[in-house]
Amino acid sequence: MPRSLPHPILTAALVLLGATIGATIGASPVAAQARQANARAEAAKRALIADVDARAKLTQEINDQIFSYGELGFQEVETSRYLVAILRREGFTVEEGYAGIPTAWVATWGSGKPVIALGSDIDAIPQASQMPGLACRTPMVPGAPGHGEGHNSGQAVVVTAALAVKKLMTEQGLPGTIKIWPGVAEEQLGTKAFFTAAGLFKDVDVSFFTHVYDRFSTPWGAPNEYSGLVSLLYSFEGTTAHGAGAPWRGRSALDAVELMNAGWNFRREHLRTETRSHYVIRDGGDQPNVVPATASVWYFLRELDAPRIRGMWAVADSVAQGAAMMTGTRLSSVRVLGAAWPPHFNKPVAEALAANIGRVGMPRWSPDDVRFAKAIQKEMGQPETGLDTTTFGLEHPPANEADRKGGGSDDIGDVSWAVPTVQLFYPSNVPGTPGHNWADAIAMATPIAHKGATAGAKALALTMYDVLTTPKLVADAWDYYRTVQTKDIKYESFVRPQDRPATDLNANILARYREQMRPYYYDASRFRTYLDQLGVSYPSMRAADGSCGVRAVP
């Protein structure tokens, strides 16, 4: 090879080096832009976290205020008035009485796309009145309702996150719209199907829903622990007569209710193990010496998918008709009081949310927090494990349909079929409580609830920012919704055109207890926390003699 020619290997190396340098030079503006965008996003997320921390007092006040109201579904009058006032003060436009429901509202701020919906439930549980911060049974008002599900904390998460994001949007000139709505009467599964039918989510791009838990996580797909549900009131009409003088002239509607319940209980043996059903008698007559002319029974029918729920409904209808025939009465109506489609949560947005949950991490629990949690667990006869210290992150659905067993229901399922939706579980309660119980209220106005709500608000705010600034995330969410979630399933609400929200539910209970509960409403202008107002030292547990040591006083 002549010396005047470069060596072939050297030539190749120089060509490769030149190409690499050229590519690097050519790509550098793009890479620089990407670095700048990442730096802006990182700075924005740090600002959001700092802002949520700065609003911790507001988060605590909202949490404690709603706890103190303890209002049951459809009767959340004080709760809604309080939240609407805050949101209007912060510049939101609020439409009240949404979908014909007096305590429902929709608060809107901003303009343009993307539209982000934020929701969380606000109703309480019957007979769950409980002194917070005291790890033993002490009702504030015996027999009264209370937040034995922890729904008092969700709007604290939502409002805090929304205000932090709103501030950042204003500073950076980001387009987008925030909609906040309350889960009215979730315990009756009473409103979200009506919200969906009324078009609340028709222009929404991504929907976030928050719910209290003892861990920090988000599910996607069809979670194992959820069942769908239809809530039905079966009403019968008979004929009155003197219960002793001429009972043969009467036809007892109560007999029809009791025979329906007996027939349904026999039919349970021949239903799938995944079914769940429960009932209460709402009207059993007036007095024993009058044959009841009216009676009604309220059923919850749960299954894993909509066709099977409709199948259970048909079976229940046939049992009710048979009971009417056996008693010579009439099945006068079958009223849908509520409904919940089995939910399906959006995978791309859940993955983004899970990443932000990991970034935020679990709250820093104090020794008092852990000691208090263990006291509650001991009181409930559960392992004294304390509080979780690591996030759970992304909860994966079962590997196949056969592994799904079902459980509770939430009408967020109806929302999830209207728009890409994710559910944020934030750690504001204690592991080992039974749910729907006074024990679930113990921690819900304590530092455990406050810290968990602040952590949840951070994760929510960060993911809202991702939606606002990442068009691909929104596109991916809708692609999953269209090509995976709704590919083979079409949503059709269990609520029929003739059905109306059951806004009369729980009115009699609140009429009985509200004035007794009113002296216990939290006054944030006078007391730093609700525990301060109640005179509860945190944490408080049983005294050495086994007594519950603190007396409930307004």
Side-chain angles (χ1 to χ4, degrees), residues 69 102 145 208 289 305 364 459 475 494:
Y69 292 143
F208 291 93
N289 64 334
D305 58 49
R364 294 184 179 179
F494 298 131

Side-chain angles (χ1 to χ4, degrees), residues 130-184:
Q130 167 65 28
M131 179 77 80
L134 177 59
C136 47
R137 179 60 165 142
T138 304
M140 287 186 282
V141 177
H147 275 288
E149 171 81 350
H151 286 175
N152 60 294
S153 56
Q155 287 290 336
V157 173
V158 164
V159 172
T160 299
L163 295 183
V165 172
K166 172 178 172 285
K167 179 173 181 286
L168 188 70
M169 290 173 68
T170 301
E171 292 172 348
Q172 297 190 356
L174 292 175
T177 304
I178 300 172
K179 284 188 173 185
I180 302 177
W181 55 274
V184 170

Side-chain angles (χ1 to χ4, degrees), residues 13-375:
L14 290 171
V15 170
L16 178 61
L17 178 61
T20 302
I21 292 171
T24 302
I25 293 172
S28 60
V30 176
Q33 289 175 1
R35 287 194 298 271
Q36 289 172 359
N38 289 338
R40 284 196 300 270
E42 178 62 22
K45 287 194 170 186
R46 288 181 178 175
L48 285 171
I49 290 172
D51 194 320
V52 170
D53 275 330
R55 298 178 193 269
K57 183 67 172 73
L58 174 65
T59 307
Q60 170 260 311
E61 287 183 1
I62 296 173
N63 179 93
D64 289 6
Q65 192 73 57
I66 299 175
F67 182 94
S68 74
Y69 292 143
E71 296 173 304
L72 296 175
F74 290 114
Q75 309 305 319
E76 309 99 333
V77 177
E78 300 287 357
T79 300
S80 288
R81 182 184 295 124
Y82 169 72
L83 290 168
V84 165
I86 290 175
L87 292 166
R88 282 188 170 142
R89 187 168 65 243
E90 293 292 341
F92 283 76
T93 299
V94 184
E95 177 186 354
E96 296 186 79
Y98 191 80
I101 301 163
T103 54
W105 42 267
V106 179
T108 306
W109 179 88
S111 62
K113 291 283 194 175
V115 179
I116 300 173
L118 308 176
S120 198
D121 300 324
I122 59 173
D123 57 329
I125 296 289
Q127 299 189 45
S129 176
Q130 167 65 28
M131 179 77 80
L134 177 59
C136 47
R137 179 60 165 142
T138 304
M140 287 186 282
V141 177
H147 275 288
E149 171 81 350
H151 286 175
N152 60 294
S153 56
Q155 287 290 336
V157 173
V158 164
V159 172
T160 299
L163 295 183
V165 172
K166 172 178 172 285
K167 179 173 181 286
L168 188 70
M169 290 173 68
T170 301
E171 292 172 348
Q172 297 190 356
L174 292 175
T177 304
I178 300 172
K179 284 188 173 185
I180 302 177
W181 55 274
V184 170
E186 188 277 334
E187 299 302 341
Q188 287 74 49
L189 293 308
T191 58
K192 297 188 185 82
F194 292 101
F195 291 165
T196 302
L200 195 159
F201 305 99
K202 66 181 179 180
D203 61 345
V204 170
D205 293 289
V206 174
S207 165
F208 291 93
F209 185 72
T210 71
H211 199 283
V212 63
Y213 204 9
D214 53 65
R215 66 189 188 197
F216 206 0
S217 65
T218 184
W220 69 272
N224 176 54
E225 65 271 17
Y226 276 105
S227 296
L229 173 152
V230 64
S231 168
L232 303 165
L233 183 69
Y234 288 91
S235 297
F236 297 86
E237 286 185 1
T239 304
T240 61
H242 195 294
W248 54 87
R249 297 182 64 178
R251 297 292 181 267
S252 173
L254 178 58
D255 286 352
V257 163
E258 291 188 300
L259 282 170
M260 179 181 179
N261 295 341
W264 182 258
N265 286 327
F266 277 104
R267 190 63 182 264
R268 285 179 197 265
E269 179 184 357
H270 309 290
L271 299 175
R272 292 186 349 133
T273 56
E274 291 82 1
T275 64
R276 285 170 171 76
S277 58
H278 349 274
Y279 58 81
V280 293
I281 296 175
R282 294 284 292 175
D283 171 16
D286 297 307
Q287 56 193 56
N289 64 334
V290 178
V291 174
T294 64
S296 62
V297 58
W298 183 8
Y299 272 77
F300 274 13
L301 305 177
R302 305 183 199 251
E303 247 287 6
L304 298 184
D305 58 49
R308 289 190 174 105
I309 293 168
R310 295 189 189 280
M312 288 181 72
W313 185 350
V315 170
D317 282 356
S318 69
V319 173
Q321 290 159 0
M325 291 175 65
M326 285 189 287
T327 55
T329 60
R330 184 174 73 90
L331 177 60
S332 58
S333 68
V334 181
R335 182 183 178 192
V336 175
L337 297 183
W341 253 62
H344 190 115
F345 297 115
N346 192 267
K347 185 179 181 181
V349 182
E351 288 173 337
L353 178 56
N356 288 317
I357 288 171
R359 172 174 181 152
V360 171
M362 291 294 285
R364 294 184 179 179
W365 307 121
S366 71
D368 282 344
D369 296 332
V370 176
R371 190 160 63 95
F372 186 56
K374 289 183 177 181

Side-chain angles (χ1 to χ4, degrees), residues 447-486:
I448 293 172
H450 306 151
K451 293 174 185 177
T454 292
K458 290 177 184 177
L460 178 57
L462 297 183
T463 316
M464 290 173 66
Y465 179 80
D466 290 337
V467 171
L468 288 166
T469 59
T470 315
K472 186 178 184 302
L473 177 57
V474 177
D476 289 348
W478 279 97
D479 180 68
Y480 178 89
Y481 174 82
R482 293 186 178 110
T483 64
V484 178
Q485 179 182 344
T486 62

